[in-house]
Amino acid sequence: MSEGLPEGIDRHAPRSAAEGRHGSEGLPEGIDRHAPRSAAEGRHSSGGRKLADREGTLAWLFLMPSVVYIIALVGVPFVLAVGFAVSDVTAGDPSFDFVGLANFRAIFDDPVFWRSLGNTFLFTGVSMIFIVIFGKILANILVADFKGKWIVRFLVLLPWTTPATLGAIAWLWLLDSIFSPIDWVLRKLGFIDGNMYWLGEPQLAMGSVIAVHVWRLTPLAAVIMMAGLVAIPRDMDEAARVDGAGFWRRMFEVTIPLTLPVIAVSALFGAIFTFTDMAVVDVLTNGGPNNATQVLTSWAFFRGIDGGDVGQGAAVALFLFPLLLAAAIAILRAVRKLEVR
Amino acid sequence: MADMTRRRVLQTAGALGVGAALAGCASEEDPPGGVPATGAPEETFTPPTRKLSGDLKILLWSHFVPSHDTWFDKFAADWGAKAGVKVAVDHVDQATIPTRIAAEISAGQGHDLVQFIATLSHLEQGVLDLKDVTDEAVKRWGTQLELCRKSSSNPKTGKFYAYSPGWVPDPGNFRTSLWREAGLPNGPTTWDELLAGGTEIKNKKNVQMGLGMSQEIDSNMVLRALMWSFGSSIQDANEKVVINSDQTVAAVEYMTKLFKQTMTNEVFSWNAASNNQGLVAGKLSYAVNSISAYRTAQGSSPDVADDIGFVPALRGPSGALAAQHVMYNWIVPKHAKNPDAAKEFLLHYTANYAAATYASKLYDFCAWDKLTPNLATWLGSDPFGSKPADKLKLLADATKWSTNIGHPGPSNGAEGEVFSTFIIPNMFARAARGEVTAKQAVLDAEAQITPIFAKWRSQGLVGG
């Protein structure tokens, strides 16, 4: 295969360190395929080999983009938030003056803060339960074999791929106080006479916000759980069948115990995405009626940006951190216990 | 064959998608036929008092009447060409402007000139003092409208944190056919008439009225109007908190009664689009809104538009006052790279405010009467097709029954924070829903408002 090449040149000579490691089989005697073709190439090749062989360095190199990303977009804003929370920074005056815990004292005296905190827990807790239940059901459907599976998968994933704000705007129309198509259907079916005022009644408004969140996050949970389901060894399921276990028994005694770590991870994601979201509340209710759907994120925004008090807004937002940290640690420890067992 | 079918399906879907996208892009405010070229005021150009150069970056809202933006973009570019300045104009949704300004001030870079549709008093420390521009405008065109002046200056510091060349009135919008049958063909003139007529319409026709009690801008406006007409306010002229009064309790009690007799729970989910949607769809007997909903109806539902009438602020026990619907605040952030060009542009823009009023289809009103000498004529015979032609003539006197947020004091930062945290709509809503008594709702509101004022006062930005 060296036709046309000048004498002494082998077109199969390795061009990289990796290629070179595969040995010298088939080469004429006296020719070392690892030999560099020039001093410069030699230095490059030698350095490349060393770098390629140093797994620790490579690992850091590959991790670096993620680390930089997390430091820049999570670490720095977090440090800034801590700084703002103990300062008198406003939207109009970014200069920093230390005020100690004054912002925290102010928000603790504010009844809307406590209501937002309670709403955040309610909103997150109820959403998480439904996200896990519906995610599990959807995951079971997605792993089953049936005709048209791809279109079902596509439709199921659509809410997650749709931008949160666009989805929320569509729901705003669906839940409109006067023109709600949901009300229209309920009226046609004879369930109601007038309108439900989904976003005008405190309980219905909270229910609507939760429902939209569940609709948005269930596909994510389903995909995570689907990965857990397909990882279960088929023979375990078959052994249970042979032993006479029915669908529900296999579900609760085989499938769910084996996928519990994955379910916990999906619950963790669901909780974090719900806890930290303000798009749905902002679009649907603006925190109303009468702060019935106000959550920490939306209240931090109204206080800090619209109201101009960045210090208090940061203090409210910072309150998310210990709660999120505690939730994350609790769920991850649960996962670890399950893995050990 | 299967491929052909799939291709046809995709082509059809694509065509439908493009059609839907185009339909979606069409604004509900698009005027039928646009702004007529004839009748538009001629624009003037006064050479800047100093030599200008460089770039001028302007950020402003996407106007509710899109023909204004078409006019403004060309107007700004033409001025730039004559003045030797390269002008760039960015329009964004008004709701995103406060966030954008806060981010730009924090970053110390961004636009040279920013316009918003409400008072920006909370940004006082991050913007240039525009007293020189205001003084120059007063020198050229006389006394500035008080409500604009009180919405752009801080009497405590003496600083003009904004320049306010214009505003938009907020009249009552009513359905003439419904109110004629209720014995008030010209619409209600007092809050008592509103209650009586609205109740009759609700009982006989099952058509509700729409005065929002929700966490949004229109609710904030109309409920302040009610408070002022009952002799109540958040602060007094010296910026002391005075909301806890018998007058405020009376206003809350009135609203509770009005809600129970004339409205539905939709008012607790009110948003900035609800007035427009309800009026254009013919679902409301009365609402308080600018003329934008009416202009929309002229294009999309002419019969409804012809049936909409307007009334000035309703009279209560202590007078008749309405809040401005929009208050234009132009600010020059401290980071602006070309403040001289920004200030010159503002004066040029003000000098041509008649063109802005016309391009906005009589939506924008000027802070200097003499700059829109034809306004009364236009309102008396609407060049944009009102039926009857003099439907809008009551707006010629709008300055008499309109006032600023913060009345009888200035639009200070504390008032702005009370506004943006929706304390007033929630005060009314809690009583209307029966959660607390009117007295308790007022006490709770006071407990929230007092620390806000104390905080701003401690920063030296609020008097009292």
Side-chain angles (χ1 to χ4, degrees):
Chain A
M1 292 298 288
S2 299
E3 296 88 348
L5 288 177
E7 201 177 340
I9 295 179
D10 182 3
R11 78 187 316 170
H12 296 287
R15 282 173 291 267
S16 71
E19 197 177 348
R21 276 198 298 274
H22 291 296
S24 305
E25 296 88 348
L27 284 178
E29 200 176 338
I31 296 178
D32 179 5
R33 77 187 316 170
H34 292 174
R37 272 160 287 184
S38 69
E41 193 179 350
R43 278 194 302 276
H44 176 76
S45 175
S46 169
R49 234 183 355 258
K50 278 182 184 168
L51 183 65
D53 291 338
R54 285 158 62 185
E55 289 185 357
T57 311
L58 269 183
W60 271 109
L61 268 178
F62 291 146
L63 276 175
M64 200 49 75
S66 303
V67 172
V68 170
Y69 180 87
I70 289 169
I71 289 174
L73 297 179
V74 180
V76 173
F78 177 72
V79 172
L80 275 178
V82 174
F84 287 158
V86 293
S87 77
D88 64 351
V89 170
T90 65
D93 182 14
S95 64
F96 184 96
D97 293 306
F98 183 72
V99 297
L101 298 177
N103 288 325
F104 289 96
R105 280 194 290 273
I107 63 168
F108 289 163
D109 288 340
D110 181 359
V112 182
F113 167 74
W114 293 109
R115 184 154 198 195
S116 305
L117 186 64
N119 287 343
T120 306
F121 276 112
L122 179 71
F123 177 45
T124 306
V126 177
S127 298
M128 199 168 74
I129 291 168
F130 282 110
I131 287 167
V132 168
I133 293 171
F134 291 145
K136 180 77 182 75
I137 294 169
L138 265 182
N140 275 20
I141 294 170
L142 291 178
V143 294
D145 278 326
F146 57 90
K147 206 173 178 183
K149 190 161 118 175
W150 69 271
I151 187 81
V152 173
R153 282 189 174 181
F154 168 74
L155 291 174
V156 163
L157 289 175
L158 212 51
W160 173 245
T161 54
T162 306
T165 312
L166 283 183
I169 289 172
W171 278 102
L172 182 65
W173 294 336
L174 289 170
L175 299 167
D176 188 272
S177 285
I178 304 176
F179 305 105
S180 168
I182 297 170
D183 285 359
W184 183 83
V185 171
L186 292 175
R187 273 197 302 273
K188 288 290 174 192
L189 293 174
F191 291 124
I192 58 172
D193 289 327
N195 290 77
M196 291 294 290
Y197 307 114
W198 297 99
L199 305 176
E201 290 282 352
Q203 290 83 5
L204 285 178
M206 181 51 99
S208 301
V209 169
I210 289 171
V212 173
H213 243 284
V214 171
W215 168 81
R216 201 171 77 81
L217 291 175
T218 295
L220 174 71
V223 170
I224 294 171
M225 286 191 231
M226 198 173 81
L229 284 178
V230 296
I232 296 175
R234 206 172 255 280
D235 54 349
M236 292 191 77
D237 190 59
E238 283 166 1
R241 280 173 195 268
V242 170
D243 288 344
F247 173 80
W248 292 110
R249 194 157 179 205
R250 277 183 283 125
M251 170 71 75
F252 286 104
E253 294 187 12
V254 178
T255 311
I256 289 180
L258 285 173
T259 53
L260 256 186
V262 179
I263 291 173
V265 169
S266 66
L268 172 67
F269 275 108
I272 290 173
F273 283 135
T274 311
F275 212 75
T276 54
D277 181 82
M278 70 162 277
V280 174
V281 167
D282 191 44
V283 172
L284 285 188
T285 64
N286 223 19
N290 189 24
N291 292 313
T293 58
Q294 196 75 266
V295 289
L296 286 179
T297 46
S298 55
W299 189 237
F301 182 80
F302 292 140
R303 265 261 175 259
I305 304 300
D306 284 354
D309 194 333
V310 175
Q312 279 193 25
V316 174
L318 208 57
F319 214 78
L320 291 165
F321 176 69
L323 301 171
L324 278 173
L325 188 67
I329 289 172
I331 295 178
L332 287 173
R333 286 180 78 169
V335 170
R336 195 166 177 184
K337 270 185 189 173
L338 286 165
E339 284 172 346
V340 170
R341 193 168 59 189
Chain B
M1 187 64 187
D3 282 346
M4 282 301 289
T5 306
R6 192 179 302 144
R7 189 172 296 125
R8 286 292 296 275
V9 168
L10 289 172
Q11 284 171 343
T12 309
L16 287 172
V18 170
L22 289 173
C25 290
S27 166
E28 64 172 1
E29 304 289 351
D30 279 343
V35 176
T38 53
E42 271 190 33
E43 290 166 21
T44 61
F45 175 77
T46 307
T49 53
R50 62 201 110 179
K51 183 166 171 51
L52 301 174
S53 62
D55 295 338
L56 177 65
K57 290 188 282 185
I58 303 174
L59 174 70
L60 74 164
W61 74 319
S62 295
H63 202 289
F64 286 151
V65 183
S67 53
H68 171 274
D69 290 350
T70 309
W71 166 81
F72 183 88
D73 292 355
K74 183 176 181 306
F75 173 78
D78 289 349
W79 175 80
K82 289 175 186 166
V85 176
K86 191 179 170 192
V87 180
V89 180
D90 295 320
H91 295 274
V92 296
D93 180 82
Q94 57 87 16
T96 65
I97 290 181
T99 315
R100 183 67 183 261
I101 303 174
E104 291 189 0
I105 289 177
S106 179
Q109 57 184 329
H111 292 84
D112 301 288
L113 185 57
V114 183
Q115 178 227 52
F116 188 49
I117 63 168
T119 307
L120 292 170
S121 49
H122 65 290
L123 300 175
E124 179 172 338
Q125 291 150 304
V127 298
L128 296 183
D129 188 351
L130 295 183
K131 187 173 187 306
D132 52 351
V133 182
T134 309
D135 286 349
E136 179 61 28
V138 169
K139 198 170 117 190
R140 291 186 193 182
W141 304 300
T143 307
Q144 186 186 21
L145 190 64
E146 192 190 5
L147 85 97
C148 290
R149 201 171 179 86
K150 286 173 88 171
S151 301
S152 56
S153 61
N154 185 343
K156 172 75 176 171
T157 59
K159 181 172 177 175
F160 279 75
Y161 52 80
Y163 173 68
S164 183
W167 68 293
V168 176
D170 204 24
N173 298 216
F174 70 100
R175 293 287 303 280
T176 51
S177 56
L178 296 171
W179 285 84
R180 190 180 300 118
E181 288 185 37
L184 294 164
N186 296 319
T189 57
T190 67
W191 288 100
D192 284 342
E193 284 182 2
L194 185 76
L195 177 62
T199 304
E200 191 175 329
I201 292 168
K202 179 77 165 56
N203 291 340
K204 287 187 178 169
K205 301 284 181 183
N206 198 28
V207 178
Q208 68 270 31
M209 64 174 67
L211 302 183
M213 281 185 274
S214 177
Q215 302 191 171
E216 55 89 35
I217 187 168
D218 289 334
S219 303
N220 258 321
M221 298 293 190
V222 70
L223 295 171
R224 278 168 172 75
L226 173 63
M227 286 170 64
W228 297 328
S229 301
F230 271 71
S232 153
S233 61
I234 295 169
Q235 64 175 2
D236 64 13
N238 298 315
E239 303 177 78
K240 282 184 181 157
V241 177
V242 293
I243 190 167
N244 186 8
S245 67
D246 292 342
Q247 289 84 352
T248 311
V249 175
V252 174
E253 284 171 345
Y254 169 85
M255 194 62 186
T256 301
K257 201 170 174 184
L258 188 69
F259 164 70
K260 286 180 177 163
Q261 293 181 200
T262 70
M263 293 184 246
T264 68
N265 281 0
E266 70 181 294
V267 296
F268 300 122
S269 62
W270 216 244
N271 61 46
S274 296
N275 281 334
N276 290 32
Q277 289 170 355
L279 277 170
V280 174
K283 296 280 187 183
L284 299 175
S285 64
Y286 183 90
V288 175
N289 201 40
S290 69
I291 63 169
S292 63
Y294 167 65
R295 291 296 191 209
T296 301
Q298 280 184 297
S300 60
S301 312
D303 292 343
V304 172
D306 292 346
D307 196 31
I308 292 176
F310 295 95
V311 288
L314 300 180
R315 184 163 298 282
S318 295
L321 278 177
Q324 86 274 343
H325 187 74
V326 159
M327 172 53 61
Y328 290 114
N329 259 208
W330 290 84
I331 58 166
V332 181
K334 281 182 176 169
H335 62 247
K337 290 179 180 157
N338 204 346
D340 289 344
K343 291 175 181 181
E344 283 291 342
F345 175 76
L346 285 176
L347 290 169
H348 174 69
Y349 170 66
T350 310
N352 289 284
Y353 212 90
T357 300
Y358 198 83
S360 66
K361 302 170 93 178
L362 313 188
Y363 183 87
D364 292 352
F365 279 35
C366 189
W368 285 272
D369 285 343
K370 68 184 293 186
L371 289 175
T372 49
N374 295 325
L375 181 63
T377 308
W378 292 336
L379 293 170
S381 180
D382 184 12
F384 303 103
S386 284
K387 293 176 188 172
D390 65 348
K391 183 178 279 192
L392 302 174
K393 72 176 180 184
L394 81 154
L395 296 179
D397 292 332
T399 54
K400 292 178 183 168
W401 44 264
S402 300
T403 191
N404 61 293
I405 296 298
H407 172 84
S411 303
N412 56 40
E415 281 278 349
E417 190 169 336
V418 172
F419 192 95
S420 60
T421 47
F422 314 113
I423 294 171
I424 298 303
N426 285 336
M427 175 180 77
F428 280 94
R430 293 179 72 214
R433 301 182 70 89
E435 293 174 10
V436 291
T437 62
K439 176 75 182 161
Q440 188 60 46
V442 174
L443 277 172
D444 292 344
E446 184 191 32
Q448 286 182 271
I449 291 168
T450 303
I452 291 175
F453 269 75
K455 181 184 69 185
W456 285 92
R457 200 170 283 126
S458 71
Q459 294 171 9
L461 296 172
V462 168

